[in-house]
Amino acid sequence: MQERFTVENTFFNTTGTNRRLLIFVRNDGAEEVNVVAIYVNGVNFGTTGSGGTCNVPVTIPVKNACEFNVNFQSLSPSPKTGDTLYVIVASARGNRATYTVRIYIPGT
């Protein structure tokens, strides 16, 4: 048995002053995954905001996915179009999935 999960995709929700990153995590392994932390640029987002299907901590069953909603506007300095976000999703077993995404905020 093996734990294996990936950050499958990310999407930006940047309407008005809303600065959210939707992070999709899929459990591709043979065991459920207990996601205990999400880091963006080294900052631990202990809980994720509303609008996602899951909040940290959460257990993702085998062959299922969760969508996490992170308000990245709280990062300092405030991210802008062209900046890079480094995402790490960590499990209770000490495994992690990483993802890198370049920010796009319309009108900036």
Side-chain angles (χ1 to χ4, degrees):
M1 297 262 185
Q2 186 176 12
E3 178 181 77
R4 185 176 64 229
F5 58 101
T6 59
V7 176
E8 186 172 80
N9 208 341
T10 60
F11 291 97
F12 289 103
N13 179 351
T14 56
T15 313
T17 59
N18 187 15
R19 300 290 186 257
R20 298 178 190 258
L21 178 65
L22 303 176
I23 303 167
F24 292 85
V25 178
R26 178 163 304 280
N27 181 354
D28 296 321
E31 294 185 15
E32 60 186 24
V33 174
N34 185 9
V35 174
V36 295
I38 294 180
Y39 298 89
V40 178
N41 288 5
V43 175
N44 183 353
F45 284 83
T47 59
T48 51
S50 63
T53 59
C54 298
N55 289 307
V56 175
V58 67
T59 299
I60 305 174
V62 174
K63 299 193 186 299
N64 281 274
C66 270
E67 171 190 354
F68 298 94
N69 184 354
V70 173
N71 183 348
F72 66 88
Q73 190 64 33
S74 63
L75 295 173
S76 182
S78 184
K80 60 189 179 311
T81 293
D83 289 348
T84 301
L85 295 180
Y86 301 98
V87 177
I88 298 173
V89 179
S91 77
R93 291 186 181 101
N95 295 312
R96 64 185 189 163
T98 61
Y99 197 84
T100 304
V101 61
R102 190 161 309 270
I103 295 175
Y104 172 69
I105 301 171
T108 62

